[in-house]
Structures are given as structure tokens and as C-alpha cells.
Amino acid sequence: MHINTPDAASTQRLEQLVAKSNCLRLTTSTEYYPDSVGTGLPLLIVETELCSAVISLQGAHLLEFKTVESDALLWLSPNCDFTPGVALRGGVPLCLPWFGVNQAYPDKPKHGFARNSFWELGEAHLLSDGAVELEFLFLSDANELFPYDFSAELRMTLGKSAKLELTINNTDTEDFDCSWAMHNYHRISSLTDVRVLGLAERSYLDNLEGHAEKYQSGDVSFNGPVDRVYPAIENSIRISGSPSIEITHNNCPSVVVWNPGQEAAAKIADIGEGQEQFYICVERGAVLGEKWFMAAGTSKSAWMEFKQV
């Protein structure tokens, strides 16, 4: 497994940035989540007049987010494993430089390796409207999993909403393809009652049946396992339930909707029996046939934003 870890210089820069801010502080998963599984990871806590959030430096991973007026909008598994190099279950994992099973090399880790690696906090600013803007940086040299040099930037703007803007830079001398997704786990109160609006009368690929193409006749409901990719979705998406959440985007053509269902959830160690009732994944990105072609020396950007409505 290709996993980078923070060096002394990046740790010092992180501590200096946090020390200059009135709305950031550092802690660890073992301190913040005393009953959590794993050996522990560094966490960044955000507290402003508008919102609060928890971010893991591994993966630049937004684990929790709520505004002062909203409910908690993300689900974090009570069985999440906070061991370095282990993917974190919940929040907004960033799947990169491929989404899901690697189509060319299925033996490679699912969802790439950016979510399992440490990112550096490059900037932190409190904006005039009270939101905080954080920029995380990731550098990847060619390695056994992905034989190209690339870098990525994730800019989080956390205020009355959570906005994540991803930029991927091909720093190699060769072209490559990459797929990616912001894998949102949204908290819900009732899996039976929740609906996903904005996908009716669209086609989708059913991952439970080998990407068979199917038709969505109405709003998405969850009467069993759901694992679907909806291509070419330009409109915003809404989760109708408690809380009700609107997800908007730019340059994120794919929508992925996922819940493992009761039987599969019980077999997944970092989800656990019954936990499927408390979340659905509604993701935005560029996956499968909508993956990005990255010419050598070029960059591409996209953003996704969610808020309670």
C-alpha cells in the first residue's frame, strides 16, 4: 500500500497555521472519540459563529459538519477505524485517483489511495462573511498503484453550507485518466421514509447487477440494497427526509447513490448491524465513463456543496 505520512516540517506548519487561527484547534481521534476503534489519527476541529466541523488530516476528510441552525448533516460510523492507512467510514471521503474498483486492475485498492494518505493544510482563512476557508494539498509521485506524478488541492469553505472544491493537476509528462468522487455519507432519521429527489426519469447503472442499465421511474427510495451510478446529472439533488439536504455542484457529472442494506451492513466491520438505517450516500464526482482525461501538464476543477433546506 502506498501511504504517505506527515513529516516534521509539515506538522510544524500545521501547528503554526492553527496557532494563528481563533477557530481551529488540533486534537486526536483517541481524545475526541474516546470509544473509537484504532490507534489514532490527528484531527482538526473547526468552531466558528456559523458552524462546527471535524476534519481528519488523513484524506482531508470532512468527518462532521453542522451549522448553528442545522442538524448534523454527515454520518460517521460508530465503528470507524482510526488507524493510519485505514479508510475512514463516514463523512466525505475523497475517492481518488479512481472510484470504486479499478477497472483496469481490479486487485488494486478500492477507491484509490488519496483517502488513506495524509494531506497538508496549506492555508486557513476566516472570510468576511464568517465562513472559514481551508486548503488541503496532496502530492503523489509515480508509484506501484498509479504510475504518474500528480497533485490535488481540496478547498473547503465551511459556513452556512459546506463547499468542497477539488483541483487535480497532472504534473507528469504523460497523459492519464482518473475517476473520483466526493463520497458523502448523509445522516438520516429514517431509511424507510427518506427519498432522493432529482433523479426521476433518468437512466442509471446498477452495480448490484454488473452495471446493468436501468430506468429510474420515480424518486429513489431504499427498500433494500441500493448501489447506482446516474450519469450526466447537471441538476441539483435533494435528500427529502430529516434533515432535508440540498446538494449542488459544478463539473461533477456523476451521481452515486448507495446504501448496503441490512444483510451486507452487518457483514462490514466498520459499519455494523443496524447502522445502515442511519445514513445514505449521495455522492458527486466523475466516475466510470465520465472519468477525466488529464493531458500532461493540465488541471481540472469541480465543486460540490451541501446544506440543510
Side-chain angles (χ1 to χ4, degrees), residues 42 47 50 52 67 72 80 142 160-161 172 202 222 263 269:
E47 294 174 331
L50 297 179
S52 60
T67 73
C80 181
K160 294 181 179 180
S161 63
D172 207 275
R202 304 300 297 264
F222 298 84
E263 184 176 346

Side-chain angles (χ1 to χ4, degrees), residues 130-150:
V132 62
E133 186 178 77
L134 308 171
E135 184 179 80
F136 297 91
L137 309 171
F138 177 62
L139 301 176
S140 180
D141 296 332
N143 58 76
E144 67 277 9
L145 294 179
F146 196 70
Y148 307 97
D149 297 337
F150 77 96

Side-chain angles (χ1 to χ4, degrees), residues 25-29 32-33 41-45 54-56 63:
R25 65 182 175 91
L26 286 170
T27 185
T28 65
S29 59
Y32 198 77
Y33 302 113
L41 289 171
L43 302 179
L44 184 65
I45 308 300
V54 181
I55 302 166
S56 169
L63 298 173

Side-chain angles (χ1 to χ4, degrees), residues 92-100 111-112 114 119 150 152-154 164-168 176-184 229 249-256 283-294 300-304:
V92 186
L94 181 57
C95 305
L96 176 75
W98 61 84
F99 171 82
H111 292 318
W119 292 51
F150 77 96
E153 301 147 21
L154 185 67
L164 281 65
E165 181 175 4
L166 173 68
T167 299
I168 300 173
F176 62 74
D177 292 331
C178 70
S179 60
W180 60 272
M182 300 178 193
H183 196 313
N184 301 23
V229 176
H249 82 104
N250 180 65
N251 208 24
C252 305
S254 311
V255 173
V256 181
E283 314 161 34
R284 297 244 42 161
V287 310
L288 299 178
E290 296 177 311
K291 62 188 176 183
W292 282 358
F293 170 76
M294 301 290 302
K300 290 187 179 181
S301 297
W303 59 258
M304 176 273 303

